[in-house]
Amino acid sequence: MAIRKDLKPGLPEPRVTGSTGPVGGGAKPNPNQYNVGDGGGAKPNPNQYNVGDGGVYGTKLDPMAEVTIGGKKFSGTEAANYLIQLKYTGQIAEYNRISGLLNAAYGKNGNSQSNFESAIAKAQRAKVDFDVILATDALNNPDVAASAQSLANIIRSVQRTATKYGISLSDTEAKNLAAQSIKQGWDAATLNEEVARKGRVEGVTGESAKAIDDLREYANAYGIKYNDEWYANATKAVLEGRQSLDTFQNTIRDVAKSRYSGFASQIDAGLTTKQAASPYIQSMASILELDPNAVNLDDPTISKALTGVNEQGAPTVMPLWQFERDLKKDTRWRYTKNAQDELLGTGMQVLKDLGFEA
């Protein structure tokens, strides 16, 4: 039987579970030690690994049978050595994850090697993932099949919630959340918040996409711009229940009042910056013959008019008459029908003043 030899020098020797002879010596493996390859002659021993023990879990694992831990498949012997390898090879995140599950299932200091091997043995016998066994043991439910089904139902609920929110979760993250939900007795609202907290907001589909679109539209109405990360973080905080949508809307309004100080009182009265600036937008659209919907608050001409300062350095909004006069100095105005009509009218008046009649 092959033994893993990839530990660093000075680490403890790997545990060899189920071995009856020296490692690497001349002892030949007994083909019937695990009731395999006996041509049907040897009778299985139902209790060799404490199978058929009336529902009482045993601790002996099968060194050869596969088991899945954290999405990775191992033989029993490889699995038995896995926890100590994690600890001494710097894979702390995964070591802490497994230790946390063991403690949740078996109480304080539950992350012992014996508990670890016992859980592996149960997973082998029940043919389920190692994580499922720890979740069912946390329920103190001897019926692994029923508990595994219960866990599977919660995993599906987690995945549906993630889809609904437009949040990305790995299979392992979904299983861990489901196990925590069982252990800690989360209600539906708490489970939803934890899904939002653990997952990554993609903002492409679901409620996160709608929340991002709503916040972006709200900010645009006030002439404020944020990057994608700001919208994603704000949406995540709302879905987690840490903040309300009103909190971020208030932030947007406060920033708008600072940027467009001349409209602060109107914003306080309930108008958006775009509504307060509507006369300027309509005048610009009319004089330059533009689509009003295409004129935004971040247009340099509009922005200059709305964010000026007076001689004392106080914020001020350019008078509308001055804004309209300046628009006719814009090179774009020369190419409008307005400009051509006005210039033609001026020329005709000059001729008339000189005594020429059309």
Side-chain angles (χ1 to χ4, degrees), residues 28 76 96 136 171 182 185 228 232 240 267 269 277 312 324 336 357:
K28 301 294 185 182
N96 289 340
T136 58
D171 289 343
I182 292 173
D228 291 343
E240 288 177 21
I267 292 173
Q312 289 73 40
E324 292 177 342
T336 65
E357 295 293 335

Side-chain angles (χ1 to χ4, degrees), residues 22-60:
V23 176
K28 301 294 185 182
N30 178 355
N32 292 318
Q33 185 178 353
Y34 309 117
N35 298 323
V36 293
D38 58 359
K43 299 297 184 183
N45 177 358
N47 289 314
Q48 186 172 356
Y49 307 114
N50 297 325
V51 178
D53 55 3
V56 179
Y57 285 132
T59 59
K60 294 182 181 179

